[in-house]
Amino acid sequence: MDPTLSPLARGLRAGLDSDTAFSSIVPPIYLGTNFAFETLHSTPKYDYTRSGNPTRDLLGEGIATLEGGAEGIITSSGLSALMLCFTALVPASGRIIAPHDCYGGTWRLLQYLAETGHFTVDHVDQTDPQALTEALQHPTDLVLIETPSNPLLRPTDLATTVDKVHAAGALALADNTFCSPLRQRPIEFGTDIVVHSTTKFINGHSDAVGGALVAADAEVGEKLKLWANVLGITASAFDSWLVLRGLRTLDARVRIHDANAAKIVELLATHPATTTVHYPGLANHPGHEIAARQQTSFGSMISFEVVGGLAGVEAFCHGLRIFDIAESLGGVESLVAHPATMTHASMPHEVQLAAGITPALLRLSVGIEPIADLLADIRDGLERVLKVGR
Ligand code: PLP
């Protein structure tokens, strides 16, 4: 790869023009599970696909380049990437601090691991600087930051949070799934490790579940790579190839996603069927300044509350023509989710409420379909809400 290219070009083009056999422009996919040793005493670069695979490594290099990190580790899901980080970097007697309003699956993973004695977990409102300072008074190994958070789009100030975490002798891990490296690069703000569910924006086509860790430091990266093999949670070559294919269009997709989202936010924010719109791009959003400082754009995830509670939610969802009711996000197609009963169902009701996840909350993942069709779908949905919710 030409080193004079920008990191963006190098990341998106990872592996292009690298085929030495036939000069295929896109890299071939290495589905093989094992690779031959020339002699008993010469270990090849790749020997067994769980520990290393050329296709998977290209994806790791691409994402690490986009994030500005030293090493990229590609796993079978976003949750397995988190699990890898927790297992490799936190001792059994250790302690993790996580956001009180993180993705429901992350919350459940931490809960189950804590309950089975793997380590202690404390959930803190990380948008409250005092709460984090107090939590860091107790010995801590790792702080998970999810910015902006899922589903309430609350940004956490990366630079000041990471400084505090480091002063307390802990590692900072940032979940960058909602932004992708095209909208936010947490390593530039001092974060030690970045985690992605590549299932979302990085793949972008809702056809491969995957995860990635990017370590700022090569030594941490080597440790994570070793543990990925030890745990056996590395991604398959085929999934890695699919995600690599998706990565190539990430920049183009994100620009359309974000332009569409901005128009939908305008409609939601002025419509009488909504009571609150959570989108850091709105000037009156409490995290607007933080997001403007550390993100290059405000993204295409939006959450909002409707009038009429659950009846309003049902009226909005039932009858949509483009937005599918589905759990995931970040794909080219537009989706709507009801966090309380879907993505965050594993959080007990009182934990949801404490985090701000009410029964009236909906989350949109805005796709790249024609904006006029998206706006018409949302407008009709909001009119249905008004009929039941006034
Ligand atoms: N992190 C965030 C912010 C997510 O939204 C998700 C899934 O929705 C995950 C992690 C877990 O990723 P996966 O579903 O690929 O395991």
Side-chain angles (χ1 to χ4, degrees):
M1 180 78 66
D2 183 340
T4 64
L5 294 180
S6 66
L8 177 61
R10 280 188 283 123
L12 299 178
R13 289 177 57 84
L16 291 184
D17 300 329
S18 65
D19 176 34
T20 48
F22 300 107
S23 302
S24 162
I25 289 172
V26 295
I29 170 170
Y30 287 93
L31 289 169
T33 51
N34 42 351
F35 301 81
F37 288 51
E38 219 167 278
T39 71
L40 271 180
H41 310 293
S42 63
T43 312
K45 178 167 181 198
Y46 296 103
D47 58 358
Y48 187 57
T49 273
R50 173 170 27 80
S51 47
N53 175 278
T55 311
R56 192 170 64 229
D57 279 2
L58 288 181
L59 178 61
E61 281 166 35
I63 299 176
T65 304
L66 293 176
E67 286 288 3
E71 188 78 61
I73 299 99
I74 304 301
T75 60
S76 57
S77 69
L79 281 185
S80 67
L82 282 161
M83 174 73 191
L84 166 58
C85 211
F86 301 154
T87 316
L89 303 178
V90 183
S93 57
R95 175 170 178 258
I96 295 176
I97 296 177
H100 74 315
D101 57 348
C102 60
Y103 163 58
T106 305
W107 190 89
R108 180 180 54 199
L109 173 65
L110 286 165
Q111 206 65 21
Y112 275 46
L113 288 170
E115 278 168 15
T116 46
H118 283 76
F119 34 65
T120 312
V121 177
D122 285 299
H123 290 274
V124 169
D125 178 354
Q126 295 183 358
T127 61
D128 174 355
Q130 192 52 32
L132 184 64
T133 304
E134 277 168 27
L136 284 168
Q137 301 298 312
H138 306 285
T140 307
D141 297 278
L142 184 123
V143 176
L144 170 66
I145 306 160
E146 193 181 274
T147 182
S149 62
N150 179 2
L152 285 158
L153 282 304
R154 292 185 183 127
T156 296
D157 188 320
L158 279 166
T160 57
T161 304
V162 170
D163 277 356
K164 265 188 212 174
V165 170
H166 286 168
L171 289 169
L173 163 68
D175 189 326
N176 201 23
T177 297
F178 265 32
C179 278
S180 92
L182 271 286
R183 301 182 180 115
Q184 178 173 264
R185 278 168 290 284
I187 289 173
E188 288 174 4
F189 298 91
T191 305
D192 302 290
I193 307 133
V194 174
V195 61
H196 281 284
S197 165
T198 61
T199 320
K200 312 298 183 323
F201 286 99
I202 290 183
N203 180 43
H205 293 77
S206 307
D207 51 13
V209 171
L213 290 177
V214 177
D217 174 72
E219 222 174 286
V220 175
E222 279 311 312
K223 195 168 181 186
L224 293 168
K225 216 171 168 181
L226 172 87
W227 270 92
N229 180 41
V230 169
L231 292 170
I233 56 173
T234 45
S236 76
F238 187 66
D239 283 352
S240 302
W241 188 84
L242 278 177
V243 177
L244 188 59
R245 190 166 81 141
L247 183 75
R248 313 231 180 269
T249 57
L250 180 60
D251 184 31
R253 280 185 283 116
V254 156
R255 279 184 266 147
I256 303 174
H257 279 295
D258 292 1
N260 281 353
K263 293 266 187 269
I264 289 174
V265 165
E266 258 175 52
L267 169 61
L268 292 170
T270 52
H271 201 286
T274 65
T275 54
T276 323
V277 178
H278 306 275
Y279 185 70
L282 286 169
N284 63 0
H285 186 283
H288 176 69
E289 275 178 29
I290 295 172
R293 203 162 49 237
Q294 65 194 24
Q295 295 177 211
T296 51
S297 70
F298 297 111
S300 52
M301 297 301 298
I302 308 165
S303 58
F304 63 102
E305 276 144 275
V306 290
V307 297
L310 205 51
V313 161
E314 284 166 1
F316 181 83
C317 292
H318 297 155
L320 290 168
R321 286 164 287 128
I322 291 195
F323 282 81
D324 280 308
I325 306 170
E327 302 264 359
S328 196
L329 61 106
V332 292
E333 59 288 310
S334 293
L335 305 177
V336 61
H338 182 235
T341 56
M342 295 170 68
T343 53
H344 290 67
S346 52
M347 277 184 177
H349 184 60
E350 60 285 2
V351 178
Q352 287 185 356
L353 289 183
I357 301 167
T358 68
L361 184 77
L362 285 165
R363 189 193 74 185
L364 298 180
S365 173
V366 178
I368 64 168
E369 299 94 338
I371 184 61
D373 295 272
L374 295 179
L375 286 171
D377 208 17
I378 298 285
R379 197 175 288 116
D380 291 352
L382 295 174
E383 292 305 317
R384 288 194 298 276
V385 173
L386 282 185
K387 284 193 187 125
V388 300
R390 266 201 221 272

